[in-house]
Amino acid sequence: MLAKRIIPCLDVKDGQTVKGVNFENLKYAGDPVSLAKKYSDDGADELVFLDITATNEARKTTLNMVEQVAKQVFIPFTVGGGIKTVEDMRSILLAGADKVSINSQAVKNPQLIKEASSYFGSQCIVVAVDGKRVDNDFYVFINAGQKNTGLKLLDWVKEVEKLGAGEILLTSMDADGTQAGFDIEMTKLVVENTNIPVIASGGAGADSKHFCDVFEKAKADAALAASIFHFGTLPVPKLKEELLKNNICVRV
């Protein structure tokens, strides 16, 4: 059985880690380089670093910070935000990232997924998908959750897989920052209709049952969280201990 992965997420704005609720009302959560080192030392399985305003500000991800983080961590490290071309991806991978994550640009230019996976290999390409309930269905949003694309979630994740993505980072905008638990319905729907790993994101709280549920009920391959790790309400080692008690396979 493949071990389930626990992935802290660093949403970065103006050089600082931030966290909000439903993609709004951001508050600062610390220095991303220091936090990254802490999570690597604590036994996190991977890290995700998202420059959350790069797309809306029409700029590229800050490579200097990527280089600093890469020097501090010894676990796989995914970077996203403002990536528009294969050359952007190359720069980020050369700066020390193991994978790149694309979201808005993947929707605007789906062939970028195919081109990138052919060039770097599917294992390097993560497609981030922000989903939200609209009129009893799930739709894909872009530009940091500000724009409804009109794309149905299920149609898009199937297309993403077909184009060669190696993994889907699925965020529920409805659950994001609420700490009320992952969106089991949305996650389960995507897992059951794709054949590539799915990282569940949005809604993790201090109750380890939230993680048990997303692994057992939705069958997610990995779970991503931010606030509970940044503010120490459920440290990574404690979470893994609880998951093991519930017979969920994790690396320790």
Side-chain angles (χ1 to χ4, degrees):
M1 177 188 290
L2 285 175
K4 301 295 188 181
R5 290 170 289 148
I6 302 300
I7 306 177
C9 180
L10 295 96
D11 291 332
V12 175
K13 180 179 186 288
D14 301 328
Q16 291 292 314
T17 308
V18 296
K19 190 64 191 113
V21 177
N22 305 127
F23 284 39
E24 297 179 347
N25 302 317
L26 301 178
K27 61 179 178 179
Y28 289 103
D31 171 58
V33 180
S34 301
L35 282 172
K37 183 178 188 306
K38 172 178 165 41
Y39 295 141
S40 182
D41 293 345
D42 279 354
D45 297 293
E46 299 185 17
L47 284 175
V48 169
F49 170 107
L50 299 176
D51 190 334
I52 62 170
T53 56
T55 295
N56 286 345
E57 292 173 3
R59 61 173 175 78
K60 296 181 180 181
T61 298
T62 308
L63 291 177
N64 179 52
M65 191 171 293
V66 175
E67 290 172 348
Q68 290 181 58
V69 171
K71 288 175 184 174
Q72 298 293 331
V73 304
F74 301 96
I75 53 178
F77 174 38
T78 301
V79 174
I83 298 170
K84 294 184 177 180
T85 66
V86 166
E87 282 305 312
D88 291 343
M89 295 179 191
R90 184 204 296 275
S91 297
I92 287 168
L93 293 169
L94 287 173
D98 300 280
K99 307 177 192 179
V100 292
S101 172
I102 50 176
N103 185 335
S104 299
Q105 196 62 30
V107 173
K108 295 172 184 175
N109 177 21
Q111 286 305 304
L112 179 61
I113 303 170
K114 186 174 183 179
E115 186 182 354
S117 61
S118 297
Y119 200 87
F120 301 111
S122 292
Q123 78 283 352
C124 284
I125 310 304
V126 179
V127 174
V129 181
D130 297 331
K132 186 176 183 179
R133 286 170 178 78
V134 180
D135 298 329
N136 299 314
D137 207 338
F138 295 110
Y139 285 84
V140 175
F141 282 66
I142 59 171
N143 291 71
Q146 294 179 15
K147 180 181 178 182
N148 185 350
T149 63
L151 273 172
K152 288 191 175 183
L153 175 65
L154 214 48
D155 292 339
W156 177 234
V157 295
K158 289 178 179 178
E159 181 69 8
V160 159
E161 179 180 4
K162 191 164 70 176
L163 288 166
E167 196 161 36
I168 292 168
L169 169 52
L170 178 68
T171 299
S172 167
M173 290 181 60
D174 298 309
D176 178 70
T178 64
Q179 298 192 31
F182 292 96
D183 191 325
I184 301 302
E185 182 187 0
M186 178 188 288
T187 307
K188 188 170 187 283
L189 184 70
V190 172
V191 169
E192 289 179 345
N193 285 278
T194 53
N195 297 296
I196 55 176
V198 175
I199 304 167
S201 170
D207 188 346
S208 62
K209 186 177 184 298
H210 293 166
F211 291 84
C212 292
D213 285 347
V214 83
F215 289 139
E216 292 178 331
K217 295 179 180 178
K219 307 297 182 188
D221 297 274
L224 178 146
S227 298
I228 59 166
F229 298 143
H230 299 338
F231 302 116
T233 49
L234 183 59
V236 171
K238 175 67 174 173
L239 171 58
K240 288 197 168 186
E241 183 184 315
E242 292 296 320
L243 291 172
L244 285 171
K245 286 180 186 175
N246 285 276
N247 299 312
I248 292 171
C249 179
V250 289
R251 296 183 189 90
V252 291

